[in-house]
Amino acid sequence: KNQSLVSISSLSQKVRRKKNKTTKTTMAMASLARRKAYFLTRNISNSPTDALRFSLSLTRGFASSGSDENDVVIIGGGPGGYVAAIKAAQLGLKTTCIEKRGALGGTCLNVGCIPSKALLHSSHMYHEAKHVFAKHGVKVSSVEVDLPAMLAQKDTAVKNLTRGVESLFKKNKVNYVKGYGKFLSPTEVSVDTTDGENTIVKGKHIIVATGSDVKSLPGITIDEKKIVSSTGALCLTEIPKKLIVIGAGYIGLEMGSVWGRLGSEVTVVEFAADIVPAMDGEIRKQFQRSLEKQSMKFMLKTKVVGVDSSGDGVKLIVEPAEGGEQTTLEADIVLVSAGRTPFTSGLDLEKIGVETDKGGRILVNERFSTNVSGVYAIGDVIPGPMLAHKAEEDGVACVEFIAGKHGHVDYDKVPGVVYTHPEVASVGKTEEQLKKEGVSYNVGKFPFMANSRAKAIDTVEGMVKILADKETDKILGVHIMSPNAGELIHEAVLAINYDASSEDIARVCHAHPTMSEAIKEAAMATYDKPIHM
């Protein structure tokens, strides 16, 4: 009898497993079908003429005709450009990438994302050694900053990465031309090479990926000595006693953090009423308090009306944004961090008739095609977030379209990260946006003060905040403030891209003890109740 019961139980389990497997397979196939249908409906051009033109361009083929003509030519070797070049080559297209800097990687690798993160890490190590080590039982008799060595480490990281990209070009057989390119026609680019020569590069499809440049302010001349851009702030030869940062965005706060940790007195001047205006309001308030604890000072709703750098330092004249009494601030260095602007200077876009908006951004359709047949644009030169990872996604999608495949980038689902300490990472909608749009939502929050891993390593500052549709529980936005928030956010990015609910995250087993358990708890708080709070 017992054997019969065991046999029946075993058979029942097998049936359930088979049924579950069949159900999962059916769901997976249905999900795949939905995604394919979505991509197809999204990518079909609204214009029959555009669709016909695209179809005809494919019938011409991509094989080399024996001439120097390329299938794809990319102007710009930054994150968008070099990724597009590699992907195009991987898809079997004869590809050439033109880069004026003489080193691949663009602003990001050379004077942006990478060197700034190197200095953020080095300065954080110094700060931890000086202020935190003793609390953990690690005693050091003396801690000093060796600025030349710190800058050298940063430079080494940059060189290794840019050389790595060049080796990827060789591996994927991408032709690399060092020089400044400008349009002669929609299929020809004239390049003044770095060795003083000139060459003509021809291509069936030309992608503009020239990135962005520092945005200047009226009446302020950046000399990269006393008045610096983010580029100059990466290579100061001395630690300034006083640093004024104009602009409380991502870049300004990150560079302010670097020099503040190393000993500078940092004051941030911002025209708007808030720091990082696009950030979720509740997270922003916590973030500003955290930076103020680190001795960073803020002057919000403040306008810069004059600057004098004739003396040893810099005098900055400011007044309330709405007008009023003027004040003079003094500093050794002033960092202008008022944003970035599309870089299209010298491309001769007007010569071939490429349309741009008032801000200088190139106008493109859903296939990244401009109004000129065969000419495309990606990254910072087109509308959308000015982020390296967004440019990379643009590059992949663009060449997939060129190769007759289906590309897709959803700018509403691109994560953003401020790499201070703690970091702030976000994806999707803020609470303010949902209120403005009239969307009914639930909010779930979980502080790292209640997270076991955070308590164990004594990094309890911050929280996870999840916003989900009130009726469907679909996740609409996730905001994290914590150390390594930039790593934690990708669980949320994946969830949002697959239209997951907060309950979906809450029911996934998270390893213990980890910081990521705070995401699970915040998800539980969104649709029900958390366990550890």
Side-chain angles (χ1 to χ4, degrees):
K1 183 178 179 180
N2 288 338
Q3 288 179 345
S4 297
L5 288 173
V6 170
S7 178
I8 291 170
S9 175
S10 177
L11 180 61
S12 178
Q13 288 176 9
K14 287 181 180 180
V15 170
R16 282 200 300 271
R17 283 198 297 268
K18 186 175 181 180
K19 183 178 179 181
N20 289 340
K21 186 176 180 181
T22 302
T23 302
K24 288 179 180 179
T25 302
T26 303
M27 290 175 66
M29 290 180 70
S31 176
L32 180 61
R34 284 196 301 272
R35 292 200 299 273
K36 283 187 174 181
Y38 173 76
F39 293 152
L40 284 170
T41 54
R42 178 181 175 86
N43 295 331
I44 291 175
S45 173
N46 293 325
S47 166
T49 304
D50 285 346
L52 178 60
R53 184 186 300 129
F54 181 71
S55 177
L56 290 173
S57 73
L58 291 178
T59 61
R60 287 200 295 266
F62 301 107
S64 174
S65 60
S67 68
D68 293 332
E69 186 175 35
N70 297 272
D71 298 317
V72 178
V73 174
I74 295 125
I75 307 175
Y82 86 72
V83 168
I86 292 171
K87 186 63 178 179
Q90 289 175 344
L91 291 173
L93 309 181
K94 183 180 178 183
T95 306
T96 291
C97 183
I98 302 164
E99 169 54 49
K100 68 181 178 65
R101 195 185 299 269
L104 294 165
T107 294
C108 177
L109 262 68
N110 289 277
V111 292
C113 317
I114 299 305
S116 65
K117 302 313 166 284
L119 290 183
L120 279 162
H121 181 66
S122 296
S123 61
H124 179 64
M125 291 174 72
Y126 168 72
H127 187 271
E128 290 283 288
K130 192 170 183 179
H131 300 285
V132 181
F133 276 15
K135 188 176 180 180
H136 290 269
V138 180
K139 295 183 178 181
V140 288
S141 57
S142 176
V143 180
E144 297 179 353
V145 176
D146 184 345
L147 188 57
M150 190 177 288
L151 296 176
Q153 189 279 330
K154 176 256 299 181
D155 293 339
T156 298
V158 169
K159 288 177 183 176
N160 288 340
L161 283 167
T162 54
R163 288 171 183 168
V165 176
E166 192 164 343
S167 70
L168 288 173
F169 269 23
K170 292 177 181 176
K171 176 184 176 181
N172 289 280
K173 297 180 173 57
V174 174
N175 185 34
Y176 174 27
V177 178
K178 298 179 182 181
Y180 201 112
K182 59 183 178 181
F183 282 97
L184 292 178
S185 74
T187 59
E188 295 175 304
V189 179
S190 172
V191 183
D192 293 325
T193 63
T194 54
D195 58 9
E197 301 294 325
N198 179 271
T199 186
I200 306 299
V201 179
K202 298 179 181 180
K204 298 183 180 78
H205 305 273
I206 299 178
I207 303 172
V208 179
T210 45
S212 60
D213 201 359
V214 174
K215 189 176 184 179
S216 59
L217 291 174
I220 300 179
T221 302
I222 296 174
D223 59 15
E224 299 297 11
K225 294 178 181 178
K226 289 188 289 185
I227 302 176
V228 302
S229 67
S230 56
T231 300
L234 290 167
C235 52
L236 299 178
T237 56
E238 295 180 2
I239 300 170
K241 292 181 179 178
K242 291 186 177 181
L243 171 69
I244 294 176
V245 179
I246 302 176
Y250 287 35
I251 299 171
L253 297 180
E254 289 179 8
M255 295 312 303
S257 292
V258 167
W259 296 107
R261 293 168 189 165
L262 298 180
S264 297
E265 181 183 314
V266 179
T267 301
V268 181
V269 178
E270 170 58 51
F271 183 82
D274 301 297
I275 68 172
V276 199
M279 188 180 288
D280 182 86
E282 184 177 14
I283 298 292
R284 184 198 304 121
K285 289 177 183 177
Q286 281 202 24
F287 182 42
Q288 184 174 336
R289 285 197 296 268
S290 175
L291 295 175
E292 287 171 340
K293 288 178 186 176
Q294 299 171 41
S295 300
M296 191 177 288
K297 299 176 183 177
F298 292 94
M299 296 182 66
L300 305 176
K301 297 183 181 178
T302 303
K303 177 171 59 176
V304 177
V305 295
V307 61
D308 179 8
S309 59
S310 59
D312 292 335
V314 183
K315 293 181 179 180
L316 207 65
I317 303 169
V318 300
E319 68 180 27
E322 297 178 354
E325 186 179 349
Q326 294 186 348
T327 305
T328 299
L329 307 176
E330 296 187 5
D332 301 290
I333 299 291
V334 171
L335 165 60
V336 179
S337 181
R340 299 186 67 81
T341 186
F343 181 79
T344 56
S345 176
L347 287 176
D348 285 351
L349 294 176
E350 64 283 354
K351 184 175 182 178
I352 62 170
V354 172
E355 292 180 355
T356 59
D357 65 12
K358 292 180 180 179
R361 294 171 297 189
I362 298 173
L363 299 176
V364 296
N365 63 14
E366 69 277 7
R367 297 180 183 275
F368 301 95
S369 180
T370 69
N371 62 302
V372 177
S373 180
V375 178
Y376 308 78
I378 60 172
D380 286 2
V381 295
I382 68 172
M386 285 185 164
L387 297 168
H389 45 283
K390 173 264 191 184
E392 292 181 2
E393 298 302 316
D394 283 355
V396 170
C398 182
V399 297
E400 285 179 333
F401 283 131
I402 289 172
K405 298 181 180 294
H406 301 290
H408 173 66
V409 186
D410 188 338
Y411 294 163
D412 289 333
K413 298 174 182 177
V414 173
V417 184
V418 187
Y419 294 93
T420 49
H421 187 86
E423 295 179 353
V424 177
S426 303
V427 64
K429 301 289 187 179
T430 64
E431 191 165 359
E432 290 72 25
Q433 287 175 318
L434 294 179
K435 286 179 179 178
K436 187 176 180 180
E437 294 170 8
V439 177
S440 297
Y441 61 91
N442 290 325
V443 184
K445 307 169 192 175
F446 192 81
F448 281 96
M449 180 69 75
N451 175 266
S452 58
R453 180 67 180 275
K455 295 281 280 186
I457 62 177
D458 195 26
T459 56
V460 297
E461 195 172 21
M463 64 183 285
V464 177
K465 178 178 181 178
I466 296 178
L467 304 164
D469 186 275
K470 196 174 188 67
E471 183 178 348
T472 67
D473 193 36
K474 175 184 173 182
I475 298 173
L476 304 175
V478 179
H479 309 275
I480 305 173
M481 174 178 151
S482 79
N484 297 320
E487 303 295 339
L488 296 175
I489 195 65
H490 295 99
E491 177 177 4
V493 176
L494 185 64
I496 283 183
N497 271 276
Y498 281 87
D499 295 333
S501 66
S502 66
E503 185 176 357
D504 287 333
I505 289 181
R507 292 192 178 279
V508 172
C509 182
H510 288 60
H512 173 79
T514 59
M515 302 285 278
S516 63
E517 286 179 288
I519 299 175
K520 176 185 175 76
E521 294 272 7
M524 295 173 72
T526 306
Y527 86 96
D528 191 15
K529 293 180 180 179
I531 297 295
H532 293 96
M533 188 176 69

